[in-house]
Amino acid sequence: MSTHSNTSDVESATGTSWQPRLALLVAATFFMEFLDGTVLTTAIPSIALDFNVAAADVNITMTAYLVTVAMGIPLSSWLAERLGARTVFCLAIAVFTVASLLCAVSQDLTMLTLSRVAQGAGGAMMVPVGTLVVLRGTPKPELLRATAYLVWPGLLAPVLAPMVGGALTTFLSWHWIFIINVPLGIAAFIAALRLVPKTQPDGERRLDWFGLLLTTLGVGAVVVGLETLGGNAPGLLAAVVVSAGVLSLAAAVWWMTKAKVPLFNLRVFGTRTFRATSTGGFIYRLTISSVPFLLPLMFQDGFGWDPLKAGVMVAAVFVGNIGIKPATTPIIRRFGFKPVLVFSSLASAVTFALCAFLTAQTPEPVIFALLLLSGAFRSIGFSAYASVQYADIVPEQLPSANAISATLVQLAAGAGIAVGALFLRLFEAAHIVGLDGVGAYKGAFLAMAVLMLVSTVDSLGLHRSAGAEVSGR
């Protein structure tokens, strides 16, 4: 195999016992990376005022960060093999921390944007390499517990980001959004030196330069196109950029099936439980990612609520995520992956459909309860997909599976916002679901509910014993 680990590396990894503290450390670094992807949203007016630029121009700092993270993930897999996962993970934390400080002291938009690029480079290494460190040291029967730690950043960060950014900007200044990362990063770096096991790097590991070029260009183009498509003025250019990215990724796949030493071992897609992450799992993450985007808009634009009230209501999703988390592993062990994936996607589709019937007159406790359930189902599905994707992956395929999965997660998050925005515009233009202020949101939520059912159908195609080694069922 072209993406194999050093033999001694694999042997040492398989002999390592489950380490909750290591998983918690990695989850904490992920939370910093995920949070910084969207936390600037509420600080944009303050940054624009300080730099004397238009608020719309500040969006470049968010796009630059997200694009750098997405484009850097494919290279991180090779770096972890060549230099050692421990070295790369510690380096990633250091780069992210220093870049955060540079963001905080930026004097103009150019410096802030460049610092965000550096921050994204650190984040790109933290995401897949940190996961790889945990997965290599976790026996299959303990994989459910490990992924339970790793899943929560992706669930909570998008919901908490507006509140965290708003609080820091209001009571301190936007600079503190980045300053707070410095002590956290230093603590994480020290902990990583103590907790992350050393592995023997493969100094002879070759890099598939052409595969890397096609992959990074493709991922970058897709993310930029989706960001443009999700903006206020999408057009033909966005569609062209996304199409070019998809073609580049298709060319990368073709190249890696022919290359002697490909960037990724694409045979991982021969494993049905892993392939589920690029089919039903991708659709699931896409639709789920649209909710933190659609709900605040509907509450403010459609219901006339103020941002604080909308933010507090959306926090119900966060409460559902946290509340159900201790039960996700027992649920999967009791029923198995297939029934849980089918149920979580079907139940999520129902909550999306019910959101379409909310109005400004709906009692607020009813809205809160619905979003609470939506958050719970969201948490169950995320945990199940995060665990089942590695259930049948052999150790030598783990680096490729991990990097591919991390890339798909980034693309799904961007696609969720873009697709949600696209549905809004389509229903606004067509007036299909009514002329009132929430008509377009009703259509968007119903469309997302139908899209979620695609994930349900895909999960029905799994074998009833899928991931049995992990679930223990």
Side-chain angles (χ1 to χ4, degrees):
M1 291 293 179
S2 56
T3 54
H4 67 282
S5 299
N6 179 285
T7 302
S8 62
D9 189 343
V10 174
E11 289 176 352
S12 65
T14 55
T16 305
S17 59
W18 154 241
Q19 300 182 55
R21 289 189 300 170
L22 175 59
L24 188 60
L25 166 65
V26 173
T29 61
F30 288 3
F31 184 76
M32 288 195 300
E33 187 272 321
F34 290 141
L35 189 70
D36 274 47
T38 54
V39 73
L40 273 188
T41 303
T42 52
I44 285 178
S46 297
I47 296 173
L49 185 62
D50 278 3
F51 292 162
N52 195 27
V53 297
D57 294 341
V58 182
N59 284 330
I60 186 64
T61 62
M62 295 182 61
T63 302
Y65 178 84
L66 295 173
V67 171
T68 305
V69 169
M71 293 180 68
I73 289 174
L75 179 61
S76 65
S77 176
W78 176 81
L79 286 174
E81 294 297 296
R82 184 65 183 265
L83 303 178
R86 182 177 187 266
T87 299
V88 176
F89 184 62
C90 290
L91 176 63
I93 296 174
V95 170
F96 186 87
T97 303
V98 173
S100 295
L101 181 59
L102 292 175
C103 288
V105 300
S106 295
Q107 299 299 308
D108 54 42
L109 186 60
T110 300
M111 181 178 178
L112 179 60
T113 303
L114 293 176
S115 300
R116 289 282 281 174
V117 169
Q119 196 184 34
M125 292 186 288
M126 285 199 300
V127 173
V129 177
T131 303
L132 184 62
V133 168
V134 173
L135 294 179
R136 275 183 168 169
T138 303
K140 287 290 179 69
E142 298 291 344
L143 193 59
L144 271 175
R145 292 178 61 196
T147 52
Y149 281 78
L150 298 177
V151 161
W152 67 264
L155 290 169
L156 305 187
V159 180
L160 288 180
M163 291 187 288
V164 172
L168 290 175
T169 303
T170 301
F171 297 108
L172 296 170
S173 72
W174 65 265
H175 305 82
W176 283 89
I177 290 174
F178 302 108
I179 293 174
I180 198 172
N181 285 333
V182 176
L184 295 176
I186 293 173
F189 184 83
I190 295 173
L193 292 176
R194 293 173 58 88
L195 296 176
V196 179
K198 292 183 179 180
T199 57
Q200 184 65 38
D202 183 359
E204 298 181 357
R205 180 79 172 88
R206 293 170 56 190
L207 178 62
D208 176 13
W209 288 101
F210 191 59
L212 176 65
L213 177 65
L214 290 173
T215 303
T216 52
L217 287 178
V219 170
V222 170
V223 173
V224 170
L226 290 174
E227 283 287 301
T228 305
L229 195 62
N232 294 321
L236 180 61
L237 179 60
V240 170
V241 173
V242 171
S243 299
V246 171
L247 289 175
S248 182
L249 290 175
V253 170
W254 174 83
W255 169 261
M256 282 185 270
T257 58
K258 305 295 182 182
K260 292 182 179 180
V261 186
L263 180 67
F264 298 137
N265 181 358
L266 297 183
R267 292 186 181 181
V268 294
F269 287 108
T271 304
R272 178 64 180 92
T273 47
F274 179 80
R275 194 165 65 248
T277 63
S278 60
T279 51
F282 185 86
I283 297 296
Y284 184 87
R285 291 186 176 98
L286 183 155
T287 51
I288 288 296
S289 297
S290 70
V291 175
F293 167 75
L294 290 173
L295 280 176
L297 286 178
M298 182 175 74
F299 290 152
Q300 294 177 67
D301 295 343
F303 293 5
W305 292 0
D306 60 69
L308 178 60
K309 183 177 180 179
V312 171
M313 188 60 74
V314 173
V317 178
F318 158 76
V319 176
N321 288 334
I322 290 295
I324 198 64
K325 181 54 65 182
T328 54
T329 295
I331 288 172
I332 294 172
R333 291 199 186 281
R334 172 65 180 85
F335 297 102
F337 281 109
K338 180 178 178 178
V340 169
L341 288 172
V342 171
F343 169 77
S344 62
S345 58
L346 188 59
S348 294
V350 171
T351 61
F352 289 172
L354 291 176
C355 283
F357 294 96
L358 296 176
T359 67
Q361 288 72 45
T362 304
E364 292 175 13
V366 173
I367 299 176
F368 190 91
L370 176 59
L371 299 188
L372 188 76
L373 286 174
S374 179
F377 299 144
R378 184 174 184 252
S379 184
I380 294 171
F382 260 86
S383 297
Y385 271 117
S387 302
V388 76
Q389 64 183 344
Y390 301 116
D392 303 314
I393 294 295
V394 294
E396 60 267 22
Q397 293 181 337
L398 191 55
S400 293
N402 181 54
I404 292 171
S405 174
T407 303
L408 290 174
V409 167
Q410 290 291 327
L411 293 178
I417 296 175
V419 172
L422 184 60
F423 279 142
L424 275 181
R425 292 190 186 90
L426 289 176
F427 286 107
E428 282 175 352
H431 302 297
I432 294 176
V433 289
L435 299 174
D436 59 306
V438 295
Y441 295 99
K442 290 180 179 179
F445 274 112
L446 289 174
M448 283 299 179
V450 173
L451 193 58
M452 177 60 85
L453 293 178
V454 176
S455 176
T456 305
V457 172
D458 181 77
S459 297
L460 287 170
L462 288 170
H463 192 274
R464 63 182 180 180
S465 62
E469 186 179 357
V470 173
S471 67
R473 180 169 176 78

